[in-house]
Amino acid sequence: MSERPMQEPTFLILTALAAGPQHGYGVISDVAEISGGRVRLRAGTLYAALDRLRSEGLIADDREEVVDGRVRRYYRLTDAGGSRLAAEAERLRRHAEAASARLRARPAHGTLFRRGLAGGAA
């Protein structure tokens, strides 16, 4: 049974953590960078996603440190998370490859229309 496609924010969070453990703000910044600024996670959205990913075993707490009197928790990708991310990246690669191949094989703009007229006019 194949898993359902991953939502884009989940894919981007796991991608951010693939480079190594990060704290929440680091993940938010990395997701914005990876997506070219298109995806901007709010803290509440991120932490809900991190809780879900942790409960699914895709990420784990790495460590905590105190910075300016506040606890900063770091998260890391688990082996299961790495496998799931790799599978999703491969799925997306196959889809992009199929789309590219079909676009390359596509007739030039207007060719079908002209062919249709030429074939129908006698």
Side-chain angles (χ1 to χ4, degrees):
M1 176 174 104
S2 72
E3 300 202 33
R4 65 184 171 86
M6 195 178 279
Q7 294 293 318
E8 185 178 25
T10 298
F11 180 81
L12 293 170
I13 291 167
L14 295 180
T15 299
L17 293 174
Q22 291 196 61
H23 54 81
Y25 181 75
V27 173
I28 288 171
S29 298
D30 226 9
V31 164
E33 181 184 330
I34 293 164
S35 69
R38 196 176 49 76
V39 176
R40 296 194 178 275
L41 298 174
R42 295 184 183 275
T45 302
L46 172 69
Y47 288 105
L50 292 172
D51 286 344
R52 179 180 51 80
L53 294 170
R54 190 173 36 220
S55 73
E56 292 174 5
L58 301 179
I59 68 168
D61 293 345
D62 186 68
R63 68 185 185 279
E64 290 183 352
E65 63 184 21
V66 178
V67 177
D68 296 328
R70 297 179 61 176
V71 175
R72 181 180 286 174
R73 178 174 292 147
Y74 285 75
Y75 303 89
R76 65 176 171 77
L77 194 63
T78 62
D79 289 343
S83 295
R84 182 71 176 93
L85 178 60
E88 183 67 7
E90 176 60 19
R91 184 189 72 78
L92 292 170
R93 185 197 62 75
R94 285 191 318 268
H95 287 260
E97 197 172 88
S100 294
R102 288 179 180 224
L103 284 167
R104 284 190 302 273
R106 182 174 180 244
H109 179 67
T111 303
L112 283 175
F113 182 72
R114 283 193 301 273
R115 251 190 247 150
L117 283 177

